[in-house]
Every structure is written in structure tokens, then in C-alpha cells.
Amino acid sequence: MAYKPSMRSKNEPLDIELDIRPVMNLMVVLIPLLIASAEWVKLGIIEINVPPAKNVSAGGGQGEQNDEEKDLRLGLKIAIANDGISIANAQTILGGEEEEGPTVPMTEDESYDYAKLKGKLIEIKEAIKGKGFKDANRAVITASKNIEYQVIIDVMDNIQTYEKDDQILPLFPEVNFGSIIQ
Amino acid sequence: MAFQPSKSKKHMSKEEGTLNLNSMMDMMTIILLFLLKSFSTEGALVTPSEELRLPTSLQGEKPRKELSVSVASNAILVNDQVIVNTDEIDEGMMVIPALEQKLREYAQQERQLELDVGKEFTHEVNIQGDEKIPFELLYKVMFTCSRSAFYKMRLVTIKAE
């Protein structure tokens, strides 16, 4: 049986205040430290794999040899020029709406028409589906000398995936770089 | 002339006030948690500057710290050391000799490390290019990298939300 508390004691509850100053000190040190090492800008990396110590001009003359080996290759090339973007493979260049000029010309406000480029590439992707091309996911990007880096990255962004029937399918995610167009 | 202190207020006892730090502690805790969440142990991967503005991209995986080749609009740097100024690059040559030499040195070091302590030589290089650099320069840098044993190239971009 527990003892009954003594009636004589008139202890008032002690009012102790928690000393939070050391915790405050800790916070003041920790917060600047964490701010300094925080990741403010999210970085990303795009991988491009180039065969070692070899020039990266894929497609081209390889086409005929591989045809003999029954090894179908698409050799898709995307060429960025100052007047627009052309889509080509080893044999032919895909024509645009006009006779001359690139496959995807510039839009009216002098910027590259990525949406149209993507549309054309989706058509190609759909057409080659199931035909057993070895490099159905590969595209070679080439550009004129003075094309800005950002444009190349934008093109690469737009040829990665596409959506069809609520599915995200790969378009041409394996990107290589080809030599400069003169 | 300063006012004479009021006689009636002279003997007023100072009121003792305590600062209530509870709400401040709450705030600090939340900030601390938020910062711990975005904590990165890798340190700064890129040194931002006016000449090196990375392009934005939608795709991209998490970057790893590797040998970095920065192509700013005025100079090419390897691991934040200036190697060559962009206007000194020979127009007609595909290879940038100064960069190639430096990269070969790094490759040599990496190979030595692989022999000595078994750290695998990954052949990986992070290329940080300014968004305005021409394709020609980028191509030359990539060509030089692939010639000097760094053939797994990664383009560093800023992830757009």
C-alpha cells in the first residue's frame, strides 16, 4: 500500500524555467553552417558516351557495310543550322514543307521550332517501330559552328521522350555528337 | 537642454521582463530541419560566375563529383585552374593542345592511383559549358577530352523545374 503523502509538507510546485540558451547557441552555429552547404541550385548531368579515342562521326559510310550483314541501322542525324533544324540519315535528308531549306524551319520570331521537330521525330519513331533497327534509340546531333550550347541542350531535351496513350516512351535518348557542319 | 527627469517617475521600480524564446525556438527548429533536408555532403560542384552560366535542361541525373572541365566564355578551366583563354585557341585545329596536356597529366595521376591504391579510373569528366559558347568550341573540348582518356563525358546543366 502506498503511503499517504504527508499533510505537513506544503511544497509548492517549483517553477523551473528551462535554460534554452545552449540550444540557441547550437542553432546559431548550425544554421549558418547548413546554409553554406545547402544545395540551392539543382544540378543535373546528361551523359554522352563516346567510343574512346575515336572521332564521333557515326552513320555515314557505315550504312552499306551493315546492310550486308543484315544489321539494320537507322543512322538518324539531327543537324542544327542557323536557319533551322534538318533531320537526315545516311541516305537522305527529310524534306520540309518547302522545297529548299531545312526540315524544321525557324518560327516567325526567329527561334527554333522544337515542338515541330519533336512531332517529326515521333513520326519517324512510329514508322520504324518493330522493324528491328539496331540504333532505334540513337541520334547524332550535329550543328553549325556558331550554334549556342543552350540550343543544343534544348534539342537534346526535346528528343528524349514522348507520350502516347498515357505512356512515356523513349524517343531518341542516346545522343551522340557529330562533326561540325561547315 | 535635456529635460529634467520627472520626479514622480524617479522612484518607479524597473519592471523585470523575460524574453519568451519559445516561438523563436520553433522557428529555428523548422529552419534547421529544412536545411538538413537540403544538406549536401559533396560540396560545391560548380563555382558560379558571370562567364560561366550553365544551360538549363529538363533532364539529367544526379551529378557526381568528377574531374571538371569548365568552358567559360573567356577561358577553359580544369578543376578551377585556368588552362587557356578562348581567344588563344587555334581556329584550324580540332585539338586544344594545352587542355590535352593537362588532361593527360590528370589521366596519368588517375592511373597511378589505380595502381597504388586501387581507386578505379572511371574515365569520367564533367563538362560545364557556358550557355553561350558556340558548338565549335564545345566540340573541340569534347574531342580533346575523348583523345586524352576521358571519354565518358557528362554535360552539367541546371535542372529546370
Side-chain angles (χ1 to χ4, degrees), chain B:
Chain B
M1 197 187 90
F3 291 104
Q4 204 176 357
S6 148
K7 291 252 161 59
S8 60
K9 284 180 185 169
K10 209 173 181 179
H11 298 289
M12 269 170 72
S13 60
K14 286 249 171 70
E15 238 181 82
E16 193 132 324
T18 51
L19 199 62
N20 192 2
L21 291 175
N22 285 354
S23 44
M24 192 174 173
M25 285 292 294
D26 287 354
M27 192 188 76
M28 290 277 199
T29 313
I30 292 168
I31 294 177
L32 197 69
L33 279 177
F34 164 74
L35 288 173
L36 276 174
K37 206 184 130 274
S38 61
F39 181 68
S40 75
T41 46
E42 297 213 306
L45 201 72
V46 283
T47 320
S49 75
E50 191 59 36
E51 279 80 34
L52 185 63
R53 286 171 186 275
L54 296 178
T56 53
S57 162
L58 298 169
Q59 42 162 341
E61 293 139 54
K62 209 174 158 19
R64 282 193 298 271
K65 197 154 176 116
E66 298 288 348
L67 177 77
S68 79
V69 175
S70 314
V71 191
S73 51
N74 57 349
I76 295 177
L77 302 89
V78 175
N79 277 355
D80 295 337
Q81 261 182 295
V82 179
I83 302 299
V84 64
N85 287 334
T86 38
D87 46 358
E88 288 169 16
I89 293 169
D90 193 349
E91 276 283 315
M93 268 172 85
M94 278 309 297
V95 183
I96 305 161
L99 180 64
E100 190 183 15
Q101 197 199 339
K102 195 76 196 169
L103 285 175
R104 279 189 197 282
E105 272 173 39
Y106 274 104
Q108 192 61 41
Q109 275 177 26
E110 289 282 331
R111 285 207 185 90
Q112 196 58 45
L113 271 178
E114 193 174 25
L115 286 177
D116 292 348
V117 293
K119 180 181 174 281
E120 203 189 335
F121 182 23
T122 52
H123 298 277
E124 282 169 2
V125 59
N126 281 344
I127 298 177
Q128 306 165 7
D130 185 84
E131 58 181 9
K132 294 267 185 264
I133 59 164
F135 180 68
E136 189 187 20
L137 182 58
L138 179 73
Y139 189 74
K140 279 182 182 176
V141 170
M142 294 200 323
F143 184 71
T144 313
C145 285
S146 73
R147 268 181 55 123
S148 31
F150 290 97
Y151 50 82
K152 287 184 187 163
M153 283 171 259
R154 300 203 154 86
L155 304 178
V156 182
T157 56
I158 290 172
K159 230 173 180 174
E161 293 304 321

Side-chain angles (χ1 to χ4, degrees), chain A residues 69-139:
Chain A
E69 294 164 21
K70 301 265 182 233
D71 193 11
L72 280 170
R73 268 175 202 276
L74 183 65
L76 186 83
K77 271 196 177 190
I78 297 164
I80 311 162
N82 288 314
D83 57 348
I85 304 168
S86 296
I87 303 168
N89 75 352
Q91 283 82 36
T92 176
I93 297 175
L94 188 66
E97 271 138 40
E98 291 156 46
E99 285 289 305
E100 295 281 309
T103 320
V104 184
M106 306 285 259
T107 52
E108 279 162 21
D109 55 346
E110 293 292 297
S111 61
Y112 290 97
D113 198 344
Y114 300 119
K116 202 169 168 190
L117 172 75
K118 195 167 180 174
K120 293 257 184 203
L121 287 172
I122 291 170
E123 275 174 39
I124 295 172
K125 186 77 184 181
E126 292 289 320
I128 63 161
K129 196 179 262 177
K131 288 192 180 161
F133 283 104
K134 287 273 175 194
D135 55 350
N137 281 337
R138 185 167 294 278

